[in-house]
Amino acid sequence: MAYLVLARKHRPKTFSEMVGQEHVVQALTNALTSQRLHHAYLFTGTRGVGKTTVSRILAKSLNCQGADGQGGITATPCGICQACKDIDSGRFVDYTELDAASNRGVDEVQALLEQAVYKPVQGRFKVFMIDEVHMLTGHAFNAMLKTLEEPPEYLKFVLATTDPQKVPVTVLSRCLQFNLRPMAPETVLEHLVQVLQTEAVPAEPRALSLIARAARGSMRDALSLTDQAIAFGNGELLETGVRQMLGSVDRGHVFRLIEALAQGDGKTVVETSEGLRRDGLSAASTLEEMSTVLQAMAVLQAVPARAEARDAADPDAAETVRLAALLPADETQLLYSLCLHGRGELGLAPDEYAALTMVLLRLLAFKPAGAAIAEKKTLIETPAAAPRAIASPAATTTEAPTPRPMSTETATEIATAAGAPGAPEPERQPVAARPPGQRLSVVDTPSMRDAAAAPRPAAGDVPASASAPLMAMPVRMQPPPGAREGEARAPAAPIPPSEEGDFWHATVTQMVVAEAINALARELALQSQLVARDVDQWLLRVERESLNQTSSREKLQGALAAMGHGIRIAIEIGPVVDSPARRNRQAAEERQRVAEEAIRSDPDVQAMMRDWDAKIVPGTLRPA
């Protein structure tokens, strides 16, 4: 006897054998038991969820004669009478199945409806089953409307479709509609275990879990994949063989990638991606597995109590719980979104593994603002510590700048402001000529005013080291960002005025108008805050590490040099409270506010609003 595939051999014969569609089974069972039968049924759902199976069981329930030949309409067909056997084998003369995908014209529908005038030959009811009914043409639908609305009492219509949106509403209104849902992987797994026990085929639970997930809610697909896996494994289902057959990625690779992304380890991410390329594993499967793990992690982060309820037999449960505690919740959500959207980008790239690497590295490039990782910051030394020059990211490979002497008056004010005990006042010496455009006078901050008011020691107690030249260090600084952090985050809080902010805004505006900078260099200038200026170096602060690119920094330095500022740029990462972009946005908001107030205070506008109940549509006012 020829081999019968599992999907056909284990097709349910009764409602009790169906799995995953309890809502449909219960409704039909109650209707058959009480004999409250509709004349037309419409079953919808994705492929392989049981639409045709339900139709055949319903036909058997309507025509079952019982084991003794005296049965009637029942919700539990016997399966041994002639009607049940003929319907199962496809030979029942009063049960007609029409494939609308290949018989979609009006002629085929009319030929079917011509049989409706004849009473059943063998059974109790005639049953017309039209599969993929949405494929019928408009004329075919119109031809069957009248019969579908008022069929003979012995005729039942059963329609099935995977796309109910394409079925005309005139047909939908004449049918009793049931939606068969995609089956959960757990439901598919449980059924596969029963099937393989019946077939006496050994199988590993992990292998069946892979097949259940790969079926994507379709029991027929799951049974077909099981047939393929049995052939691939020579009569047994092993996890390694099923993974190789499906091209699935081992969860170990996925866990390694997520842990590397949580720790900001780009090297491990790239090496793991190259390992997937060497092993020939699917890039799309990698992102799919990562999405599944990240979804489980997000649930654990939102509901920590779920960690205790996870299946202890699942070897991935403990690792998922560990990663959920390692990766912040906001980064979990961001990485999940990147994995979902990254699957659509794989087909656009010439190399899907390169696209996979870019999707994974995107999280490292766009870390959330509050990510708890070590950032590369260039901090300004406090005056109490040993003075040193500000180091830029490029300064590690270049020679340190030559120290420049500072005026003793300036050095003494810095030391006094730091509260150094016994800081002497050196002799006042003439200040050396400064290059044009570079200024080193100290900003009058509150801390310096308090230090200046403190008593100073006698001039004769100057130590010998005070006469040595001092290293250049920033002497023009804004107040610490933390002092105005709350104000900077407030949407309507004005930007506190500062000389550094005014100077940097004017300089950047001049470069943008002259088109001296563009692209990333322009974005770096607009989004940065000028923190300090020295004779040969300026310190900028930005909020995002992605703006701190060597090429952008060099282009900005070149543009400043063309304006007469021959300096080097050092960049630190931190909160920005005063940048040209923020000032431009604040100015635009102010112009918008003035324009709206001018319109609302206009006498003609007020008269229209008062007399004609006119309203100003929000968002339509623009300043001239």
Side-chain angles (χ1 to χ4, degrees):
M1 180 179 178
Y3 174 73
L4 193 63
V5 298
L6 296 178
R8 295 180 59 188
K9 183 177 180 180
H10 294 275
R11 182 193 293 268
K13 300 294 192 299
T14 62
F15 286 125
S16 60
E17 295 179 4
M18 291 199 65
V19 294
Q21 308 297 343
E22 288 77 8
H23 63 295
V24 176
V25 170
Q26 180 179 351
L28 293 178
T29 300
N30 294 338
L32 290 167
T33 301
S34 61
Q35 296 194 11
R36 298 177 61 89
L37 303 176
H38 203 272
H39 62 269
Y41 296 88
L42 175 63
F43 298 116
T44 65
T46 186
R47 77 277 177 267
V49 293
K51 299 185 295 297
T52 305
T53 298
V54 171
S55 172
R56 293 182 180 180
I57 297 175
L58 179 61
K60 289 193 296 183
S61 299
L62 294 172
N63 292 285
C64 180
Q65 300 171 358
D68 56 358
Q70 303 299 321
I73 298 174
T74 177
T76 57
C78 65
I80 60 177
C81 68
Q82 192 62 38
C84 291
K85 291 181 179 179
D86 289 346
I87 292 175
D88 285 336
S89 60
R91 297 192 304 266
F92 193 65
V93 67
D94 293 322
Y95 177 71
T96 304
E97 287 190 5
L98 178 69
D99 181 19
S102 56
N103 302 278
R104 57 192 305 266
V106 64
D107 295 335
E108 289 83 356
V109 173
Q110 285 180 344
L112 177 67
L113 296 178
E114 287 175 358
Q115 305 177 22
V117 298
Y118 303 104
K119 288 188 176 182
V121 176
Q122 182 180 355
R124 193 176 297 111
F125 291 93
K126 274 182 175 289
V127 179
F128 289 168
M129 193 276 179
I130 304 178
D131 197 9
E132 299 298 338
V133 68
H134 68 276
M135 300 291 289
L136 292 177
T137 63
H139 293 296
F141 276 120
N142 294 333
M144 65 181 295
L145 283 180
K146 187 60 179 177
T147 308
L148 183 63
E149 183 178 10
E150 298 178 356
E153 60 180 6
Y154 52 79
L155 178 61
K156 302 296 181 184
F157 281 94
V158 179
L159 311 180
T161 177
T162 57
D163 195 356
Q165 287 80 12
K166 294 183 179 179
V167 179
V169 292
T170 52
V171 174
L172 295 176
S173 64
R174 289 167 167 82
C175 299
L176 202 62
Q177 183 173 347
F178 295 93
N179 181 31
L180 280 73
R181 303 164 184 163
M183 301 181 195
E186 295 78 11
T187 303
V188 177
L189 175 61
E190 182 180 354
H191 187 66
L192 289 181
V193 170
Q194 297 177 358
V195 169
L196 293 178
Q197 287 177 352
T198 304
E199 295 291 323
V201 175
E204 294 182 353
R206 295 283 298 166
L208 295 182
S209 298
L210 292 173
I211 295 177
R213 289 200 301 266
R216 299 183 182 278
S218 171
M219 187 64 73
R220 184 176 62 224
D221 287 3
L223 292 172
S224 299
L225 288 173
T226 304
D227 258 326
Q228 182 180 354
I230 292 174
F232 187 88
N234 194 20
E236 59 180 358
L237 275 71
L238 302 178
E239 179 185 359
T240 55
V242 172
R243 282 194 183 277
Q244 186 177 357
M245 182 191 76
L246 297 176
S248 301
V249 178
D250 187 0
R251 282 287 177 90
H253 296 292
V254 174
F255 292 145
R256 191 178 309 116
L257 286 172
I258 295 177
E259 184 174 4
L261 291 172
Q263 297 175 351
D265 187 0
K267 179 181 179 182
T268 301
V269 171
V270 175
E271 290 177 350
T272 305
S273 179
E274 291 298 324
L276 296 175
R277 180 200 296 270
R278 289 192 302 270
D279 297 339
L281 299 177
S282 171
S285 177
T286 303
L287 294 178
E288 180 180 348
E289 287 290 332
M290 289 187 65
S291 300
T292 303
V293 175
L294 290 167
Q295 186 269 342
M297 292 168 52
V299 172
L300 292 176
Q301 291 169 347
V303 188
R306 296 269 306 217
E308 301 177 358
R310 293 185 65 84
D311 186 6
D314 184 4
D316 296 337
E319 189 68 12
T320 304
V321 173
R322 185 182 71 84
L323 291 177
L326 183 63
L327 191 66
D330 54 348
E331 293 189 31
T332 302
Q333 297 291 338
L334 175 60
L335 184 54
Y336 178 79
S337 179
L338 291 176
C339 290
L340 288 184
H341 291 85
R343 292 185 62 188
E345 299 178 6
L346 297 180
L348 303 177
D351 182 359
E352 68 170 4
Y353 295 100
L356 172 64
T357 305
M358 291 299 296
V359 170
L360 298 176
L361 293 179
R362 195 169 298 161
L363 178 68
L364 301 181
F366 297 97
K367 281 280 187 181
I373 62 172
E375 296 179 340
K376 296 181 179 179
K377 293 186 177 181
T378 306
L379 301 177
I380 301 176
E381 293 292 332
T382 57
R388 61 172 183 173
I390 303 173
S392 66
T396 57
T397 57
T398 58
E399 184 178 355
T402 305
R404 301 195 177 201
M406 300 176 62
S407 65
T408 54
E409 179 182 0
T410 303
T412 304
E413 291 185 3
I414 296 175
T416 308
E425 181 180 7
E427 290 185 10
R428 298 185 177 270
Q429 299 177 359
V431 180
R434 305 184 181 108
Q438 297 178 342
R439 299 160 44 189
L440 289 176
S441 58
V442 180
V443 174
D444 188 16
T445 61
S447 60
M448 291 186 179
R449 286 198 300 268
D450 296 340
R456 297 186 178 182
D461 298 333
V462 179
S465 60
S467 59
L470 298 178
M471 295 289 289
M473 64 177 296
V475 294
R476 177 183 295 276
M477 298 179 60
Q478 291 184 325
R484 297 192 305 270
E485 187 174 358
E487 299 176 10
R489 292 178 181 176
I495 298 176
S498 65
E499 186 175 352
E500 295 295 335
D502 297 340
F503 170 78
W504 183 237
H505 179 264
T507 303
V508 173
T509 302
Q510 183 179 353
M511 289 188 293
V512 171
V513 171
E515 297 184 355
I517 52 176
N518 53 29
L520 293 179
R522 179 178 58 190
E523 194 68 17
L524 171 62
L526 290 173
Q527 300 293 339
S528 61
Q529 174 180 351
L530 180 60
V531 178
R533 281 185 289 167
D534 198 356
V535 292
D536 62 344
Q537 184 169 257
W538 292 1
L539 176 63
L540 302 180
R541 179 184 296 137
V542 294
E543 290 184 340
R544 294 178 296 174
E545 179 71 29
S546 57
L547 292 174
N548 186 15
Q549 303 294 331
T550 304
S551 58
S552 304
R553 190 169 57 249
E554 291 176 351
K555 291 179 181 179
L556 183 57
Q557 287 181 175
L560 290 172
M563 295 179 60
H565 305 294
I567 48 89
R568 289 188 303 108
I569 294 178
I571 297 180
E572 69 173 12
I573 309 301
V576 174
V577 297
D578 184 3
S579 66
R582 289 175 180 260
R583 291 198 174 207
N584 293 341
R585 183 167 59 252
Q586 188 181 66
E589 293 174 354
E590 179 64 19
R591 291 195 301 270
Q592 179 71 22
R593 185 189 63 79
V594 172
E596 293 178 356
E597 290 182 357
I599 290 296
R600 291 191 177 92
S601 60
D602 186 86
D604 296 335
V605 174
Q606 292 180 352
M608 288 188 290
M609 296 175 66
R610 180 182 63 254
D611 300 337
W612 298 339
D613 197 21
K615 296 181 180 179
I616 299 176
V617 179
T620 58
L621 298 180
R622 294 290 183 272

